[in-house]
Amino acid sequence: MSSELLHPARSKQTLHSLPGKEASVQHRRGGYITTPLCKQASTPRFGTCNSQKAPSLHFSMGQKFIEQVASFLFEYDTPRMVLVRNKKVGLTFRAIQLVVLAYIIGWVFLYEKGYQSTDTIVSSVSVKLKGLTVTNSSEMGPHIWDVADYVFPPQGDSSFVVMTNFIVTHGQKQGVCPENPEAGKCEKDSNCIGGKYHRKGHGLRGFIHNGSCYHIPGLGQWEKVGCPLVCGHQHVYRGAHLLLSSRPPLLLAAENFTLFIKNSITFPRFKVSRRNLVESVTKDYMNRCIYHKVKDPLCPVFKLGDVVMESGQNFSSVAVKGGAVGLTITWNCDLDWSKKYCVPVYRFHGLYEDKNLSPGFNFRFAKYYRENGTDFRSLYKVFGIRFDILVDGKAGKFDIIPTMTTIGSGIGIFGVASVLCDLLLLYFLPKRNYYKQKKFKYAEQDSLRAMEVKVHKQYKTSAERNTRAKS
């Protein structure tokens, strides 16, 4: 036998170097590159050429990548389920699911309307008051009051004051007068330091010159100060306050004044605009209606006495020293229905609390005039009821995004039933150890190694079979 047959590697090199030999053709088989040695043209005994196998790294990595992609696309894994036949656990599981289902359908979907997207409100409010009354007081005599006299401010804003009582001091001019005893009581002239202002005072000390202790019989010693008030004003002021508490409100007839509210709103997201003058409110209806929460809940005309009463207060009591009332207009609209069902709801709230410390609501204003080159004023201390009109609300309309979000949240809440039943099953029932063995599968380290060896042997045997089959 020639040396070429004894040494295949040498014979391969010789055959490639010999002339007349054909070049070998490479082909792939089972992940290897096989190069057969072609037989000599003149020697028939070289019938079968020897072959050499070498691993292909690129082919192996590509094949693994393709397998991973195929596994990702075409395989599906699901957790292992354990069926437990236990009446207590089964009934508990279904009861929790029923409660969760009732919460999702009843509260989230029906009450909170979790299937809708919402928008907030943009609104504008204007008011008009109508009413006329006559007073006959010692300070003013007979006097007729209309809207221009008793409503502040007169522009018809959403926050306004209706005067119900007042104290007026006529003929005030700038000069020098005694101070309020609470702010300027003195015992000697050295207590009256010029150029100072007291927080409870009504003028500036030493406006003209340093003050001196000024005595008025029956009232004790007061400071003499420079102030913008006529002498004797404070005496009238204190007496008027005593009279205020003992007499009825001068404008008690304001109880029958009417208030007309115009409210325009819009929901920008849904491009829906509405007014409180809804379809059922016609001109004839508005001329004869007065708001009533049962008979005429949509009438935009209110009687002030009814508004104060609905807020839980008594008009005649509040009118003496004033108070505050909140009126809210609420628009909660479901735009899945026709917008004619989007109507306002009026509510009234008492904001006044009767206390001895700073009770009621009041403010001052003055009317100025000139006589013989001297400026005078009539000072009014007004007691009234402040009305604040507030508008709130929202609109909702079906939207697929919040619907799917709500459904997904509801499905997630259903998992609470499984968690609670697992706790009951694994930690509280008498057979909890048995259920643990069925639910959990433990893998020891030795078992893992034996499994790896077994899998490796199976893979090796399969590879040898494939090699013999191909050869």
Side-chain angles (χ1 to χ4, degrees):
M1 182 178 295
S2 66
S3 59
E4 293 178 0
L5 295 176
L6 296 175
H7 302 282
R10 192 190 310 169
S11 64
K12 175 183 175 183
Q13 183 179 6
T14 304
L15 289 174
H16 277 284
S17 60
L18 290 176
K21 300 290 192 287
E22 296 180 356
S24 62
V25 180
Q26 296 185 355
H27 62 89
R28 295 183 179 180
R29 179 181 298 171
Y32 294 90
I33 299 177
T34 305
T35 306
L37 295 178
C38 300
K39 58 183 178 180
Q40 265 182 327
S42 59
T43 313
R45 60 188 180 128
F46 288 57
T48 303
C49 299
N50 294 329
S51 62
Q52 183 180 5
K53 293 184 179 180
S56 174
L57 181 60
H58 295 287
F59 178 72
S60 178
M61 292 180 61
Q63 186 179 11
K64 289 182 178 180
F65 176 75
I66 294 173
E67 290 176 354
Q68 292 293 332
V69 173
S71 175
F72 175 77
L73 293 176
F74 306 121
E75 292 182 1
Y76 167 75
D77 56 350
T78 181
R80 181 181 180 183
M81 304 297 293
V82 178
L83 181 61
V84 178
R85 296 187 180 276
N86 188 293
K87 293 182 179 180
K88 293 181 180 179
V89 178
L91 290 175
T92 303
F93 182 71
R94 297 307 176 193
I96 296 174
Q97 282 187 329
L98 185 61
V99 171
V100 171
L101 186 63
Y103 164 76
I104 295 172
I105 296 176
W107 177 264
V108 177
F109 272 92
L110 298 182
Y111 185 79
E112 291 292 335
K113 293 182 172 58
Y115 56 88
Q116 292 181 336
S117 59
T118 59
D119 190 17
T120 55
I121 197 172
V122 178
S123 71
S124 174
V125 176
S126 62
V127 300
K128 287 183 180 180
L129 281 96
K130 289 185 178 181
L132 190 71
T133 186
V134 179
T135 61
N136 189 4
S137 64
S138 59
E139 298 92 346
M140 300 183 63
H143 188 83
I144 298 175
W145 300 83
D146 64 3
V147 176
D149 299 318
Y150 60 74
V151 177
F152 306 90
Q155 292 87 357
D157 293 338
S158 60
S159 181
F160 60 93
V161 178
V162 176
M163 182 171 64
T164 56
N165 211 353
F166 63 90
I167 299 173
V168 61
T169 305
H170 296 290
Q172 288 189 352
K173 66 177 181 179
Q174 294 188 7
V176 178
C177 66
E179 178 59 287
N180 186 339
E182 295 181 359
K185 190 174 182 179
C186 66
E187 296 179 355
K188 53 186 178 179
D189 291 346
S190 59
N191 296 138
C192 306
I193 302 174
K196 290 187 177 181
Y197 175 78
H198 196 277
R199 184 167 63 90
K200 291 188 175 181
H202 293 79
L204 181 66
R205 299 175 185 176
F207 180 71
I208 300 174
H209 51 76
N210 284 340
S212 59
C213 201
Y214 183 73
H215 177 72
I216 296 179
L219 295 176
Q221 292 181 323
W222 290 5
E223 292 185 15
K224 185 179 181 181
V225 297
C227 65
L229 305 175
V230 67
C231 286
H233 165 69
Q234 297 300 331
H235 315 312
V236 177
Y237 187 82
R238 289 169 59 84
H241 264 281
L242 296 175
L243 180 63
L244 182 70
S245 301
S246 60
R247 73 182 184 188
L250 294 176
L251 275 74
L252 185 59
E255 183 177 10
N256 297 316
F257 295 169
T258 58
L259 169 66
F260 171 47
I261 299 177
K262 291 193 294 184
N263 177 215
S264 300
I265 61 105
T266 183
F267 298 105
R269 181 174 182 178
F270 304 122
K271 296 181 175 58
V272 174
S273 298
R274 295 286 287 166
R275 299 179 67 196
N276 65 330
L277 306 178
V278 295
E279 290 79 4
S280 60
V281 178
T282 62
K283 185 177 180 179
D284 294 337
Y285 173 77
M286 195 168 62
N287 288 335
R288 58 181 172 79
C289 77
I290 294 293
Y291 173 85
H292 188 276
K293 63 181 179 180
V294 177
K295 297 179 181 179
D296 295 293
L298 297 178
C299 181
V301 181
F302 304 82
K303 194 165 72 171
L304 296 185
D306 295 340
V307 172
V308 176
M309 183 181 65
E310 290 290 338
S311 69
Q313 303 177 88
N314 182 273
F315 190 91
S316 59
S317 300
V318 177
V320 176
K321 293 187 177 181
V325 174
L327 193 157
T328 60
I329 306 175
T330 304
W331 297 80
N332 289 325
C333 301
D334 187 353
L335 298 182
D336 291 330
W337 303 88
S338 174
K339 70 176 185 179
K340 70 178 182 180
Y341 298 108
C342 180
V343 295
V345 176
Y346 301 97
R347 293 185 177 90
F348 312 94
H349 312 276
L351 308 178
Y352 171 75
E353 186 176 1
D354 190 5
K355 287 187 176 181
N356 294 329
L357 182 62
S358 185
F361 177 85
N362 63 80
F363 64 95
R364 294 175 178 84
F365 77 95
K367 292 182 178 180
Y368 294 88
Y369 58 96
R370 179 181 286 267
E371 289 183 359
N372 300 325
T374 303
D375 292 328
F376 293 90
R377 75 178 184 181
S378 295
L379 181 66
Y380 291 81
K381 183 173 184 180
V382 174
F383 301 86
I385 302 176
R386 178 188 175 103
F387 293 89
D388 294 303
I389 302 176
L390 309 174
V391 182
D392 63 351
K394 64 179 181 178
K397 196 171 186 179
F398 175 79
D399 193 345
I400 189 63
I401 294 178
T403 301
M404 297 306 296
T405 302
T406 304
I407 292 175
S409 302
I411 294 174
I413 297 175
F414 270 105
V416 174
S418 299
V419 173
L420 295 178
C421 288
D422 281 348
L423 291 175
L424 179 65
L425 191 70
L426 301 176
Y427 297 100
F428 295 99
L429 292 183
K431 296 182 179 180
R432 52 184 177 272
N433 294 327
Y434 171 76
Y435 292 130
K436 285 182 181 179
Q437 292 178 0
K438 293 296 183 181
K439 182 174 177 62
F440 301 110
K441 187 174 183 180
Y442 298 94
E444 301 293 341
Q445 189 67 23
D446 295 339
S447 301
L448 290 175
R449 290 179 180 176
M451 182 65 69
E452 290 177 357
V453 171
K454 183 177 180 181
V455 171
H456 180 71
K457 289 181 178 180
Q458 291 177 352
Y459 177 78
K460 187 175 180 181
T461 304
S462 177
E464 291 176 352
R465 290 177 183 175
N466 294 334
T467 302
R468 286 196 297 268
K470 293 176 182 179
S471 62

